[in-house]
Amino acid sequence: MNLSGPVDFRPKLISSLRDYSSKRFKADLVAGIVTGIVALPLAIAFGIASGVSPTTGLITAIIGGFLVSALGGCTVQIGGPTGAFIVIVYGIIAEYGLEGLAIATVMAGLILVMLGLFHLGTVIKFIPYPIVVGFTAGIALTIFSTQINDFLGLGLSDVPSEFLPKWGVYLSHLQQTDWVTLGVGIASLLIIIATPRISKKLPGALISIIVMTVAVYFINGIDGISIETIGDRFGALATDIPQPHGFTLSMATINALLPSAFTIAILGAIESLLSSTVADGITGSRTNSNTELIGQGLANITVPFFGGIPVTGAIARTMTNITNGGRTPVAGIIHAAVLLLIFLFLMPMINLVPMACLAAVLIVVSYNMSGWRTVRSILKNPKSDVTVLAVTFLLTVIFDLTIAIEIGLLLAIILFLRRVMENTQIRAYSGQLDVAEGTESTTHEVLDVAKGVEVYEIDGPFFFGVATKFDEMMRTSMAEKPLVRIIRMRKVPFIDATGVHNLEILIQSSQKDGIDVVLSGVNENVHRVLEHANVERMIGQRNICDHITRAVTLANSIVAERRSERQKTE
C-alpha cells in the first residue's frame, strides 16, 4: 500500500475496447438485456423500501449503473441501488429529508474517491469476515421487518423505524391482516422460489411481478376487493429523466451527515469490492480495487443531482451478467440502456404492480442476504469471531447501521492489534547465540556473546502495543546491568512513532547508565525512519549493523575496551 503513489485510475472499459470484437459484443448484448430485465424489479423494490419512489430507484440504476460500468475497475460489475443501503437511506430521509440524503450521498462519493486516490482499495477487502457477515445478516433481518406491513396488507401508515417498536406494532395489529393481499404475497413468493427450478436463467422476481400484476388487475374491484398497487401509493409515475438540480449546503448539515456519509461509503466499498472479488474468482479477471472505488465514488457524486440514492456494485446482478456471458463493461452499459428504455416507454405499466408482490421480492432478497449457512459455520469458530459477529448483528438490528459499522471497524482494529501483539515475540539472549535460529537454514553458526552483553530480538512490527511490551521486558529480564544492549531487528517490517519514541527513551536511559546500544539487521524502511528521527545520530552510525555477526563482534569489542580501561584505572 503506497499512499503517496500515482493516481491509480484506469477504467476497465478503456482496456476492454482495445481488442473488442463483434463476437464479444453479441455476448455482452445478451447479458446486458437479461441483466437489465432482472435489475428492473430490484431497482423498483429497493427504491420503495428506501423511502423514495420507484422512479428514483430506476433513475439510480440507470445513471449509477452506467457510470459504475464506464468508470469502474471491474470488467463485469453491475451497479445500482442495493438492499444493503435500505436501512441507512430510510433513516436519513426520515431525519433529514431527500436533500439530506443527496448531501450524504455526495459526501460518501467524495470519501470513496479519496479511498481510491490514497490506494486503500486493497485494505477495505481485509475487514474481518465476521463483521461483514454480522451487519449483512442484520440488514437482511431489518429489510424483512420493513416488508411485513405490505406483505400482510395491514395498512399501517406510521410504523416506527426502530426494530423492536416496529414488531410491537405489527403484533398488536395482526387482526387487520388483509387475507387477499396476503394471498398475493404468498403466491408471489411461491413463483419466485419455483421459477429457478424450471430454469435458472428465468428471473423469478420479474416473472412473479408480471403474473401477479395481471392477476391483481382482474381481481381488483371484484366484490370490494382492493389490493394496493404502486400507482395507488405513489400516483402516476414520471416518465422523463429529471433535470439536474442542486441543494443547499451548510457546515451544520455537513457535520450532522458526516457519520451517515461515512457509513454509506464504507458499506458501498465493502459490497462493491466483495462483488468484484467473487466475479474475479469466476471470470479469471483482475479488478483494480482503487479504480473501482473511484468509479463508485464518481457515480455517487453524480446520481444525487438527478434525485437518485446511493449506488454500489450488486452481487446478484453481477452474477446474472456473468452467467449470461457478459465479460466487459459494455454489458453493464447495455443493462443501463435497457432500464432507460423501460423507464421511457413502460412506466405506466409499473403503476399496476401490487405492493405485496414487491414485498415478496424483498423478503426473498433478505433471505438470500442473511447468509444463515455462513452464520452457522462461523458459530463453530473461536469465541472472538462469534462475539464480533453477534455484536455487529445486534447493533445493526437494534440500534443503527452507522453505529454498527463504526463499532465493527473499531472491533476489527482491536482484533488486528491483539493478533499482531500475540504473534510478535521478544526474546532475550546471553552467553551464546545461534545465528540461524528462526530461519530455515541448516547451517548453524553459534556466536559467543561476551558477559555484559544483552541481546534482544523483536520478531514482528515494532508499534505502540509492542513498544510497551518490549519496555517491560527490558526492565525485568536481566538482573545485572549490562555494558551493551543489542537489539536485533531483522524481523521488524516497520516501526511507528511510539516504537521510535520508546527506542529513543531506551537509548537515552541506557547512555545515562553508561550502556551502549547496538542495532542489528535494520531493514531499509526502518533505517529510513530511524534516520529521520535522529536515532542514528544518537547512537552513532557505527552502532547500526546490517548483520548480527557484526553486531556481536562490535559489542564484544566494546565490552573488552571497557574492561581494559577499568583495569588501567584500578
Side-chain angles (χ1 to χ4, degrees):
M1 182 180 70
N2 184 5
L3 298 181
S4 59
V7 175
D8 190 11
F9 182 58
R10 298 187 296 273
K12 288 291 185 179
L13 177 63
I14 297 174
S15 59
S16 297
L17 291 177
R18 287 174 187 159
D19 56 349
Y20 205 61
S21 63
S22 58
K23 180 180 179 182
R24 193 167 282 182
F25 174 73
K26 290 176 183 177
D28 285 339
L29 180 64
V30 172
I33 292 172
V34 173
T35 306
I37 292 171
V38 170
L40 173 66
L42 297 175
I44 294 170
F46 291 145
I48 293 173
S50 299
V52 296
S53 68
T55 302
T56 301
L58 273 176
I59 290 296
T60 303
I62 293 166
I63 300 175
F66 170 79
L67 291 174
V68 167
S69 294
L71 303 177
C74 179
T75 55
V76 293
Q77 184 84 278
I78 301 297
T82 67
F85 286 132
I86 289 175
V87 180
I88 186 68
V89 169
Y90 191 90
I92 294 173
I93 292 174
E95 190 168 353
Y96 300 102
L98 291 173
E99 185 169 277
L101 174 64
I103 295 171
T105 305
V106 171
M107 290 166 63
L110 291 171
I111 293 172
L112 284 166
V113 170
M114 294 301 291
L115 290 174
L117 291 177
F118 284 105
H119 298 196
L120 294 172
T122 53
V123 176
I124 298 294
K125 291 182 178 181
F126 296 122
I127 290 177
Y129 194 50
I131 292 176
V132 176
V133 173
F135 66 65
T136 302
I139 291 168
L141 181 56
T142 305
I143 292 173
F144 172 77
S145 69
T146 61
Q147 301 309 304
I148 300 302
N149 186 25
D150 289 336
F151 190 77
L152 299 181
L154 299 178
L156 302 173
S157 56
D158 295 320
V159 181
S161 58
E162 297 82 5
F163 180 80
L164 295 178
K166 188 194 303 283
W167 278 96
V169 170
Y170 288 158
L171 294 174
S172 62
H173 290 80
L174 281 179
Q175 70 277 7
Q176 295 177 205
T177 299
D178 185 285
W179 296 103
V180 178
T181 299
L182 177 59
V184 169
I186 292 173
S188 302
L189 272 179
L190 293 175
I191 293 172
I192 296 171
I193 294 169
T195 300
R197 299 184 179 182
I198 299 171
S199 173
K200 292 189 179 297
K201 291 190 175 183
L202 288 175
L206 185 64
I207 299 297
S208 173
I209 286 176
I210 292 172
V211 171
M212 297 315 300
T213 298
V214 172
V216 168
Y217 178 79
F218 289 106
I219 292 173
N220 261 345
I222 298 177
D223 295 330
I225 294 174
S226 178
I227 301 170
E228 187 180 27
T229 64
I230 290 177
D232 294 332
R233 182 172 295 184
F234 296 98
L237 300 177
T239 57
D240 298 323
I241 297 290
Q243 293 296 316
H245 61 83
F247 31 80
T248 305
L249 284 176
S250 69
M251 282 307 300
T253 306
I254 292 174
N255 290 335
L257 289 169
L258 187 58
S260 298
F262 177 77
T263 300
I264 293 172
I266 294 299
L267 196 59
I270 292 171
E271 186 161 9
S272 64
L273 293 182
L274 282 176
S275 175
S276 62
T277 300
V278 172
D280 288 349
I282 297 172
T283 63
S285 59
R286 185 176 180 182
T287 295
N288 183 318
S289 300
N290 297 315
T291 298
E292 183 66 14
L293 289 182
I294 294 173
Q296 298 279 341
L298 294 174
N300 280 288
I301 291 171
T302 305
V303 164
F305 289 98
F306 295 88
I309 59 178
V311 177
T312 188
I315 295 177
R317 277 159 275 178
T318 299
M319 290 300 298
T320 301
N321 181 31
I322 293 170
T323 54
N324 284 279
R327 287 299 180 272
T328 77
V330 173
I333 293 173
I334 292 171
H335 133 272
V338 169
L339 289 174
L340 177 61
L341 292 174
I342 294 171
F343 179 80
L344 294 175
F345 301 109
L346 297 177
M347 281 301 280
M349 295 184 182
I350 293 175
N351 287 316
L352 304 175
V353 175
M355 295 300 299
C357 186
L358 287 180
V361 170
L362 286 171
I363 287 173
V364 173
V365 168
S366 64
Y367 174 80
N368 293 333
M369 280 184 68
S370 68
W372 61 270
R373 292 181 181 86
T374 305
V375 173
R376 187 174 63 183
S377 65
I378 290 178
L379 292 178
K380 301 175 184 177
N381 288 1
K383 290 182 180 179
S384 59
D385 288 343
V386 177
T387 301
V388 169
L389 185 150
V391 168
T392 311
F393 174 79
L394 292 174
L395 287 172
T396 303
V397 172
I398 298 175
F399 294 100
D400 182 274
L401 187 58
T402 301
I403 295 174
I405 287 185
E406 290 172 350
I407 295 181
L409 291 176
L410 180 61
L411 283 172
I413 294 170
I414 292 172
L415 285 174
F416 171 75
L417 293 177
R418 193 188 77 173
R419 284 169 182 166
V420 169
M421 287 182 64
E422 287 174 349
N423 292 326
T424 300
Q425 298 179 348
I426 302 171
R427 291 183 290 269
Y429 299 92
S430 61
Q432 288 188 327
L433 175 66
D434 185 350
V435 175
E437 184 179 340
T439 68
E440 295 181 359
S441 175
T442 57
T443 304
H444 294 275
E445 179 187 355
V446 179
L447 302 176
D448 290 320
V449 180
K451 186 177 181 182
V453 177
E454 293 178 359
V455 181
Y456 295 91
E457 178 164 12
I458 304 172
D459 184 356
F462 193 9
F463 69 111
F464 62 89
V466 176
T468 304
K469 183 178 177 181
F470 178 59
D471 185 59
E472 291 174 354
M473 184 175 183
M474 292 286 293
R475 295 176 186 277
T476 59
S477 60
M478 300 292 183
E480 295 182 8
K481 189 180 295 184
L483 296 175
V484 181
R485 283 182 174 136
I486 298 176
I487 302 175
R488 196 178 188 189
M489 303 176 72
R490 58 174 177 159
K491 296 182 179 179
V492 176
F494 70 86
I495 183 170
D496 73 350
T498 308
V500 171
H501 179 66
N502 177 270
L503 196 56
E504 289 174 342
I505 293 175
L506 170 66
I507 293 169
Q508 290 169 357
S509 62
S510 297
Q511 290 175 344
K512 186 178 179 180
D513 293 335
I515 303 170
D516 279 52
V517 175
V518 176
L519 304 183
S520 167
V522 180
N523 70 36
E524 186 178 346
N525 291 332
V526 175
H527 191 282
R528 194 181 302 116
V529 173
L530 298 180
E531 187 178 4
H532 290 161
N534 293 323
V535 171
E536 182 177 353
R537 190 169 62 183
M538 290 176 66
I539 64 174
Q541 188 174 1
R542 183 188 75 152
N543 286 23
I544 300 182
C545 303
D546 58 359
H547 195 271
I548 188 62
T549 303
R550 285 187 56 200
V552 171
T553 302
L554 175 62
N556 288 347
S557 66
I558 292 173
V559 169
E561 288 174 8
R562 293 277 191 88
R563 286 176 178 164
S564 176
E565 291 174 1
R566 190 181 300 170
Q567 287 175 357
K568 288 179 181 179
T569 57
E570 292 176 353

